[in-house]
Amino acid sequence: MGNHSRSVMHVVGRSVPRRDGLDKVTGAAKYVDDLNFPGMIYGRTVRSTIPCGRVASVCHNFDHAGFTIVDHRDIPGRNLVALIVEDQPCLVERDVRHFAEPIVLLAHADREILQAAEVAIEYEPADPVLDPLLSPTTFKAIAINKGDIDAGFARADVIVEGEYRVGHQEHAYIEPNGVIAVPENGGVTLYGSLQCPYYVQKALHVVLALPAEKLRVVQAETGGGFGGKEEYPSIIAAHACLLALKSGRPVKIVYDRAEDMVATTKRHPAIVRYKSGVMKDGRLTAIDVDVVLDAGAYVTLSPVVLSRGVIHASGPYRCDNVRVNGRIVMTNTPPNGAFRGFGAPQTQFAAEVQMERIAETLGLDPVKLREVNALRAGDTTATGQVLGKDTSALAVLREAVKRTDFKRRRRELGGTNRGLGLALFFHGAGFTGAGEVRLASKASLELTERGARVLVASAEIGQGARTVHAQIVADTLGLPYDAVEVARADTAHVPDSGPTVASRTSMVVGGLLQRCAEEMKEKLGHLTPLEYLRRHGPLVVTRQYEAPSAAAFDEETYRGDAYGTYAWACDVAEVEFDPVTYEIRPVHFTAVQEIGRALNPTLLAGQIEGGSAQGMGYALLEEVVMRDGRMANAQLTNYMVPTTIDTPRIDVVIVENPYRHGPFGAKGVGELPFDGAPPAIANAVRHLGFDVRSLPLTPERIMDASATDRADTEWHGRLARAKRGH
């Protein structure tokens, strides 16, 4: 291999073709609903039609011939969706805590007969809790304290306060949730559209009371996730397995869009109250934040979402005195869960609109305000983490301002129907604190005759994981890119490399693979892979995660190193206001993002463009209408997501500042791009003169803001303020 490696072209840093691209564009890729098994039948979930109460009776008003019927009494293990807290049943026994909660499962070979089966359920309804501020139940509370908050406010020349609200957001992945459970070998094999195969296996172990070796979970080709297929697949998988084991036949359950939207998890709504103390020159002296997240009916992953939210709540700014109090509360709505950004978008929206309001209050240039306060190497975050040389807040801010000629353009737009705004933000990469150590992820590399095969459970959900992992291994081994294969995420054949979440797949799992490849390269010595196999037999190298430094984080006090590193970014949005319809339309968008090292620039740009577009939807279009605890607009015809018509060309600017512990210097990038678009757009709308502090920025909210200030005179006032600059 030594002589061969010298002729190999490096692929890290190059936009090589993605591994799954050809199969997806030609239709050869097989998604769950493309898969069929002999004797397969179809499953259906009968759900609650009230948000809160008790089941009084269940009556099956159909001919049972050919049907398999499952309720909570058929669960051989524990009636539990295994996650952080043991509070969510797999099937309702008596108490109903949200609309669309699963009660009964049916299966039949004929889909029409299955859908026609009537199950009548009588309830004893109770009064639901739908306002998170009135909830008597707090699932988790977190407090961050740095410095002396009272002394900080005492030093301030000005105090600015504000409340910011954001609602639910639907994942709107291309492919709804779907699984097939196949009974075999005394256990079951589960094929699913999912992000985290080992999460599902662990959940099935609890419900089915079968050992892990009898529970095989295989990720089918997956049409997007965004967090929506992190914890929810454990529920649909358990349902399909219960039907399959009772019927003895393969069972397919694929939700239609309406069922998926009404029953599955969404982004947590949030109410964020902000109080900032500042000197006249713009220096922050105190930041006090109160965060309330609406968890819905069960805990799910909400404590972790809250954790990310509070850690990022003070924004990428230096301040000696910070207090953040966060809590997550129960309401009688379907549970909320993982979603790209994981709590950070909610709080960073508030933080960045708050910064804009501080600039307005002080009469300061918003760029100058951010320059004064942006975190630098050697500064400490809200948790007291000392930042390293890979801190790039100032670099991305200055590049974004320069790239967009921000100050001149903002002056030019004064008095027009266009506004310009920016947002500076950051995102911690990988699991929080000691999370990666506790996870103890493993990755393996298997030698093949031509090169190597990657063995990880990290799911390809559209982000390009297979491609980037192959690039890392190829360059580390000194082999051609096409000599590296990537195995499917199948718990029978790959180790648990952890969930595909938290911006960790390239940085953490890719780092493990790099170390596997380094060890394999050393074992190979001067031999080619084929020569090694003939001489020594099979070779599999496995490495387990080890903390790269003495980083420490106290989860009780929330002090210390919350993340190994952070990625940094600054977005600039130019928007156009329609004075007739009150619609806001983004017309230019610039995303400057520092992500350590670009392993595959095209895939990276795709992540940034996709995340930014998703953030624009959150900012302007996507509004989940909850009525009596039920999503009232559960169709893509009335829940609006941005299309290419709604999304301007996105100017992606990649800044590199390598992280010494990331593979080839890479940091995590999956979630960062989402965080910036909502506040950048909201700040552009502020530049137009509209004070709107709730998302989405619908025409109705813009109109309300306008009406508050009396429409005609207010419009001229807006123009005058805009003309004054800033």
Side-chain angles (χ1 to χ4, degrees):
M1 186 175 68
N3 291 334
H4 178 63
S5 66
R6 283 194 289 272
S7 64
V8 173
M9 183 179 292
H10 292 295
V11 289
V12 166
R14 295 179 56 222
S15 296
V16 297
R18 58 182 301 153
R19 283 302 170 91
D20 50 339
L22 187 62
D23 281 352
K24 286 181 175 175
V25 298
T26 60
K30 299 296 183 187
Y31 296 80
V32 164
D33 216 11
D34 297 320
L35 302 177
N36 294 290
F37 293 84
M40 190 177 76
I41 59 178
Y42 302 96
R44 174 190 154 200
T45 311
V46 178
R47 302 177 180 279
S48 62
T49 56
I50 62 169
C52 183
R54 288 186 166 185
V55 173
S57 67
V58 177
C59 184
H60 301 152
N61 297 328
F62 58 91
D63 180 355
H64 290 192
F67 273 91
T68 301
I69 304 171
V70 165
D71 65 20
H72 67 92
R73 295 167 295 184
D74 296 296
I75 295 175
R78 300 171 65 195
N79 184 13
L80 178 69
V81 181
L83 216 56
I84 294 174
V85 174
E86 297 183 350
D87 67 334
Q88 185 173 7
C90 180
L91 291 168
V92 166
E93 296 183 14
R94 188 170 183 194
D95 293 333
V96 172
R97 283 171 56 167
H98 67 86
F99 181 87
E101 192 159 9
I103 299 175
V104 176
L105 306 171
L106 306 177
H108 195 278
D110 187 306
R111 279 175 156 164
E112 290 189 7
I113 294 174
L114 175 67
Q115 293 302 324
E118 180 186 348
V119 178
I121 301 174
E122 292 187 359
Y123 302 97
E124 298 168 359
D127 293 333
V129 175
L130 302 175
D131 183 345
L133 294 181
L134 300 179
S135 174
T137 305
T138 297
F139 287 143
K140 174 80 175 180
I142 298 175
I144 295 176
N145 289 287
K146 175 188 179 186
D148 185 334
I149 193 71
D150 294 330
F153 280 117
R155 282 185 57 213
D157 294 319
V158 176
I159 293 175
V160 178
E161 298 184 66
E163 179 179 292
Y164 307 89
R165 292 183 178 234
V166 295
H168 290 92
Q169 187 183 20
E170 165 63 33
H171 298 88
Y173 26 63
I174 296 172
E175 179 199 27
N177 275 284
V179 298
I180 302 174
V182 182
E184 56 186 15
N185 304 322
V188 62
T189 297
L190 188 286
Y191 300 84
S193 176
L194 47 89
Q195 289 180 229
C196 311
Y198 277 94
Y199 273 16
V200 175
Q201 189 194 50
K202 290 169 185 171
L204 293 178
H205 167 70
V206 173
V207 173
L208 303 179
L210 288 172
E213 58 270 23
K214 296 289 185 183
L215 299 167
R216 179 185 171 200
V217 178
V218 184
Q219 185 217 2
E221 203 67 69
T222 297
F226 310 121
K229 293 171 185 171
E230 179 175 350
E231 76 267 59
Y232 193 84
S234 295
I235 297 176
I236 185 172
H239 291 171
C241 288
L242 288 167
L243 287 166
L245 292 176
K246 187 167 182 177
S247 66
R249 300 170 67 173
V251 174
K252 175 188 284 188
I253 303 179
V254 178
Y255 294 163
D256 64 20
R257 184 62 71 178
E259 182 176 18
D260 195 292
M261 292 178 78
V262 83
T264 67
T265 54
K266 307 203 175 346
R267 186 183 298 285
H268 292 75
I271 302 165
V272 185
R273 293 173 176 140
Y274 228 99
K275 180 179 176 182
S276 306
V278 284
M279 306 289 282
K280 288 179 180 175
D281 61 5
R283 284 176 294 161
L284 289 161
T285 63
I287 298 175
D288 190 5
V289 192
D290 182 74
V291 182
V292 177
L293 295 184
D294 179 353
Y298 296 104
V299 173
T300 67
L301 293 169
S302 297
V304 191
V305 175
L306 177 66
S307 174
R308 284 239 172 201
V310 296
I311 288 172
H312 291 82
S314 56
Y317 300 112
R318 58 203 319 193
C319 182
D320 291 335
N321 308 295
V322 179
R323 179 170 65 192
V324 183
N325 284 306
R327 63 187 187 280
I328 189 141
V329 301
M330 174 192 161
T331 60
N332 291 110
T333 56
N336 299 308
F339 203 137
R340 191 178 204 167
F342 227 76
Q346 290 93 319
T347 56
Q348 292 202 91
F349 162 71
E352 277 303 275
V353 177
Q354 176 78 0
M355 287 299 280
E356 205 71 7
R357 293 183 56 239
I358 292 171
E360 292 165 6
T361 302
L362 295 175
L364 286 178
D365 174 358
V367 174
K368 182 66 177 176
L369 176 69
R370 289 173 171 85
E371 279 186 335
V372 167
N373 293 291
L375 286 163
R376 284 117 163 123
D379 284 343
T380 57
T381 65
T383 66
Q385 178 171 355
V386 181
L387 294 171
K389 293 179 180 177
D390 60 342
T391 300
S392 304
L394 274 177
V396 295
L397 173 64
R398 289 170 175 167
E399 180 62 29
V401 170
K402 175 184 172 186
R403 183 88 172 190
T404 59
D405 199 1
F406 183 83
K407 296 181 181 179
R408 182 189 63 78
R409 182 65 179 158
R410 196 162 154 102
R411 285 195 298 273
E412 281 181 355
L413 294 178
T416 73
N417 66 340
R418 288 196 175 189
L420 192 68
L422 63 75
L424 182 64
F425 54 104
F426 67 151
H427 202 101
F431 269 55
T432 308
E436 294 290 349
V437 174
R438 281 199 303 273
L439 204 57
S441 301
K442 292 179 181 177
S444 296
L445 200 58
E446 180 181 19
L447 192 66
T448 66
E449 291 186 358
R450 291 192 60 240
R453 181 180 296 115
V454 171
L455 303 174
V456 295
S458 305
E460 172 64 67
I461 53 175
Q463 79 280 43
R466 293 175 194 154
T467 304
V468 169
H469 284 167
Q471 288 179 267
I472 292 169
V473 170
D475 266 13
T476 307
L477 281 174
L479 289 174
Y481 170 62
D482 62 6
V484 179
E485 305 168 22
V486 181
R488 183 169 293 281
D490 177 341
T491 58
H493 301 295
V494 301
D496 185 356
S497 57
T500 307
V501 302
S503 303
R504 64 184 299 277
T505 300
S506 293
M507 188 182 81
V508 176
V509 182
L512 286 171
L513 287 170
Q514 186 177 39
R515 288 192 281 281
C516 287
E518 289 167 349
E519 184 178 334
M520 180 173 280
K521 185 176 183 179
E522 186 177 337
K523 289 180 183 295
L524 288 173
H526 65 282
L527 300 176
T528 67
L530 182 58
E531 289 170 343
Y532 183 96
L533 290 171
R534 286 175 174 169
R535 188 176 299 183
H536 300 289
L539 173 62
V540 176
V541 175
T542 299
R543 295 298 294 265
Q544 182 170 323
Y545 181 83
E546 296 175 3
S549 64
F553 185 71
D554 187 326
E555 294 189 2
E556 295 299 319
T557 62
Y558 263 65
R559 301 295 300 160
D561 304 309
Y563 299 99
T565 188
Y566 297 82
W568 308 82
C570 184
D571 285 353
V572 177
E574 182 174 328
V575 303
E576 187 173 67
F577 168 66
D578 186 327
V580 176
T581 65
Y582 282 71
E583 289 175 293
I584 299 292
R585 183 173 68 91
V587 291
H588 295 296
F589 195 89
T590 301
V592 179
Q593 317 235 331
E594 188 275 286
I595 40 66
R597 172 81 189 279
L599 300 173
N600 184 314
T602 295
L603 288 179
L604 174 59
Q607 284 279 57
I608 295 171
E609 290 177 357
S612 300
Q614 203 170 28
M616 291 182 209
Y618 187 51
L620 292 168
L621 297 173
E622 298 186 45
E623 183 162 36
V624 172
V625 178
M626 281 289 178
R627 194 167 294 149
D628 299 325
R630 173 183 183 176
M631 184 177 180
N633 55 335
Q635 291 284 357
L636 290 180
T637 52
N638 52 15
Y639 179 82
M640 308 305 290
V641 296
T643 68
T644 52
I645 296 173
D646 307 300
T647 310
R649 189 182 74 82
I650 298 171
D651 182 20
V652 174
V653 183
I654 298 170
V655 177
E656 294 186 326
N657 185 3
Y659 171 47
R660 64 192 178 101
H661 298 301
F664 298 95
K667 300 175 180 177
V669 72
E671 295 164 287
L672 174 78
F674 185 96
D675 297 341
I681 289 174
N683 288 339
V685 170
R686 292 195 69 81
H687 184 223
L688 283 164
F690 296 110
D691 180 13
V692 187
R693 305 178 201 174
S694 299
L695 297 181
L697 301 162
T698 57
E700 292 83 358
R701 288 199 171 97
I702 301 292
M703 185 176 289
D704 286 346
S706 175
T708 300
D709 294 336
R710 298 182 184 280
D712 291 341
T713 54
E714 193 274 342
W715 171 243
H716 293 293
R718 287 201 309 274
L719 298 187
R721 289 196 295 276
K723 285 175 180 174
R724 286 199 293 272
H726 304 327

